[in-house]
Amino acid sequence: MKTNIISYQTTTNEIAALRDIEEHKMLDPIKEGKWSIREIIGHLYYWDKFILEQHIPFMEQGANLIEFPDHDSHNNEGIQYISSIQNVAELIDQFAHTRNQLFEALERIQNDVRFTIGSGKRKFTIESYIGIFSEHDIHHLEQIRNKLAL
């Protein structure tokens, strides 16, 4: 596997390790007006769900995948979606399960496949595509680490 994919995969372990954190610490916003750690995990989970359901099944040579959803709307949907999940441990389990499904699906796609997204002209590979989300994970993991270091 490539660097971005490995980086993306390590997020699973770091999120899974949060199961040991007291629930109440996971529910406080990371800063005033920001999400909680629970909501950040839900946000990552909901994007994984989108990737797994809406993009990965269609990643083949020359494919044009559907446009990414409006980020604000998608993020709001994600927060609503996770509201039915009982507790943070269950959310972490669902995140890890979905992320592992995503990796299994990625392994079935040839590394040299090139595709576009929406009206974009940029050709993506699996590595460049996952790179977007790997950077996204790093940003949110830093937020979580900073919150828990307080």
Side-chain angles (χ1 to χ4, degrees):
M1 281 201 182
K2 304 285 189 196
T3 306
N4 285 334
I5 294 173
I6 292 168
S7 172
Y8 193 59
Q9 200 167 24
T10 60
T11 300
T12 309
N13 297 332
E14 193 160 345
I15 297 294
L18 297 174
R19 288 181 116 258
D20 298 333
I21 305 296
E22 298 169 45
E23 180 100 8
H24 72 91
K25 291 182 180 178
M26 305 290 272
L27 303 177
D28 291 336
I30 59 167
K31 287 184 181 173
E32 190 175 323
K34 298 286 186 180
W35 287 333
S36 65
I37 294 172
R38 178 187 191 280
E39 291 168 325
I40 291 171
I41 296 167
H43 164 74
L44 296 174
Y45 164 68
Y46 202 66
W47 274 105
D48 282 0
K49 193 169 162 16
F50 171 83
I51 295 166
L52 186 61
E53 294 172 358
Q54 302 297 322
H55 275 179
I56 288 181
F58 309 101
M59 288 181 179
E60 55 188 43
Q61 189 61 34
N64 181 259
L65 309 182
I66 65 166
E67 191 75 51
F68 287 113
D70 172 75
H71 291 87
D72 291 335
S73 297
H74 185 77
N75 292 340
N76 290 334
E77 281 176 30
I79 298 303
Q80 289 229 314
Y81 185 83
I82 66 164
S83 66
S84 65
I85 298 174
Q86 297 297 316
N87 56 50
V88 177
E90 184 182 337
L91 176 60
I92 289 170
D93 290 345
Q94 287 191 28
F95 166 81
H97 177 73
T98 301
R99 182 65 62 105
N100 288 330
Q101 284 183 310
L102 194 151
F103 287 115
E104 289 171 12
L106 284 173
E107 287 177 355
R108 294 189 291 269
I109 301 170
Q110 297 295 318
N111 286 335
D112 60 348
V113 165
R114 303 277 187 275
F115 53 88
T116 56
I117 299 171
S119 60
K121 298 195 183 339
R122 177 180 176 195
K123 296 244 185 235
F124 287 89
T125 62
I126 297 298
E127 175 74 3
S128 63
Y129 178 88
I130 291 301
I132 297 167
F133 293 96
S134 177
E135 290 295 319
H136 179 246
D137 280 5
I138 290 166
H139 165 72
H140 287 303
L141 289 173
E142 268 183 34
Q143 291 177 316
I144 291 169
R145 288 182 204 122
N146 289 339
K147 173 65 176 175
L148 294 176
L150 297 176

